[in-house]
């Protein structure tokens, strides 16, 4: 009497199905990217919640000429620690105004952003990019987008518009910080964090990496088991 064959568990089928679904996801749907976006959003919300009243920023009675260059430097550092979010908002407004008044640069940046979104971030990884009958891999697509970004930013008028806007915004911030008397500001409440313009991005990125690590490691451990 022939022995009955042992039933085969559909483990490989489930694993292949999960692998296929994972491969069909666009890069933007990965857990690490979602965690990064979530932490960046939380950092932006927390940053805007610390915005100081605009009336306090433009209080004319608090302006005076600095006595020396060192005094102006101290004022800029103290005012930036207090009005950090307001200064970043001013910089963003200057940058947006510069782009709106230069339609060609704005069009080029929007086209570059659309290229990144639709050709890489929102495109499923199992659907290769095909242009004029030639198929491009994900690595080739990424390389093309990087070269295109360098060309648009540094070899067209876009780079000069962005640099000019950043310089004008930095000049406005430094001028305000140098002439705004910081004695009436409650600087003791400020956290001793980094004072870089984009320092919150570093903290958000590190938090995102820490939060995404368990999420990414869990499927790997399950697959090995």
């Amino acid at each position: 009497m022939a022995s009955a064959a042992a039933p085969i568990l559909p483990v490989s089928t489930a694993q292949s199905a999960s692998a296929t679904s994972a491969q069909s996801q666009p890069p933007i749907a990965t857990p690490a990217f979602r965690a990064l976006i979530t932490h960046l959003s939380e950092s932006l919300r927390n940053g805007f919640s610390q915005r100081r009243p605009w009336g306090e920023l433009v209080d004319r009675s608090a302006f005076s000429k600095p006595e020396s260059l060192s005094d102006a430097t101290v004022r800029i550092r103290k005012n930036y620690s207090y009005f950090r979010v307001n200064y970043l908002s001013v910089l963003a407004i200057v940058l947006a105004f510069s782009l709106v008044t230069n339609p060609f640069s704005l069009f080029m940046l929007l086209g570059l952003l659309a290229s990144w979104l639709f050709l890489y971030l929102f495109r499923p990884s199992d659907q290769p990019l095909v242009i004029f009958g030639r198929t491009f891999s994900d690595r080739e697509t990424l390389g093309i987008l990087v070269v295109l970004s360098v060309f648009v930013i540094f070899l067209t008028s876009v780079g000069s518009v962005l640099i000019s806007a950043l310089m004008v915004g930095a000049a406005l911030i430094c001028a305000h910080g140098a002439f705004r008397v910081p004695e009436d500001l409650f600087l003791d409440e400020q956290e001793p964090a980094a004072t870089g313009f984009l320092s919150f991005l570093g903290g958000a990125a590190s938090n995102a990496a820490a939060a995404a690590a368990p999420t990414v490691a869990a499927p790997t451990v399950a697959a090995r088991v």
Side-chain angles (χ1 to χ4, degrees):
M1 184 175 182
S3 60
I8 301 176
L9 298 178
V11 177
S12 59
T13 304
Q15 291 179 353
S16 60
S18 61
T20 303
S21 62
Q23 291 179 355
S24 62
Q25 289 182 348
I28 197 172
T30 58
F33 190 86
R34 290 198 301 267
L36 177 61
I37 294 299
T38 300
H39 283 277
L40 285 178
S41 302
E42 294 177 357
S43 299
L44 288 176
R45 284 195 298 267
N46 293 334
F48 279 110
S49 65
Q50 298 175 4
R51 177 175 53 85
R52 306 299 178 181
W54 291 102
E56 188 176 359
L57 182 73
V58 297
D59 185 10
R60 291 184 296 178
S61 61
F63 286 87
S64 66
K65 183 179 179 180
E67 298 178 356
S68 61
L69 181 60
S70 59
D71 184 28
T73 304
V74 172
R75 287 186 179 186
I76 292 174
R77 185 173 65 252
K78 290 183 178 180
N79 283 318
Y80 175 71
S81 298
Y82 188 77
F83 294 113
R84 181 184 297 117
V85 179
N86 300 78
Y87 285 162
L88 290 175
S89 301
V90 171
L91 190 64
I93 292 173
V94 173
L95 187 60
F97 179 78
S98 299
L99 291 176
V100 170
T101 54
N102 293 272
F104 176 76
S105 300
L106 180 61
F107 175 77
M108 293 291 290
L109 281 180
L110 290 179
L112 182 62
L113 178 61
S115 300
W116 275 98
L117 291 178
F118 295 105
L119 297 181
Y120 188 74
L121 295 179
F122 290 156
R123 181 180 58 83
S125 58
D126 60 346
Q127 297 180 4
L129 178 64
V130 179
I131 300 178
F132 297 112
R134 189 186 188 283
T135 303
F136 295 88
S137 63
D138 289 340
R139 181 175 298 180
E140 292 175 337
T141 304
L142 181 60
I144 293 174
L145 290 175
V146 170
V147 173
L148 181 62
S149 301
V150 173
F151 175 80
V152 170
I153 295 176
F154 295 103
L155 299 180
T156 63
S157 61
V158 175
S160 60
V161 170
L162 295 178
I163 294 175
S164 301
L166 292 176
M167 291 179 62
V168 171
L172 291 176
I173 292 171
C174 291
H176 179 275
F179 285 90
R180 176 65 163 82
V181 180
E183 275 72 15
D184 60 335
L185 304 180
F186 298 94
L187 298 177
D188 294 337
E189 298 178 358
Q190 301 300 310
E191 297 180 357
T195 57
F197 272 111
L198 301 178
S199 59
F200 66 93
L201 289 180
S206 61
N207 292 336
T215 308
V216 177
T220 304
V221 174
R224 291 179 179 178
V225 174

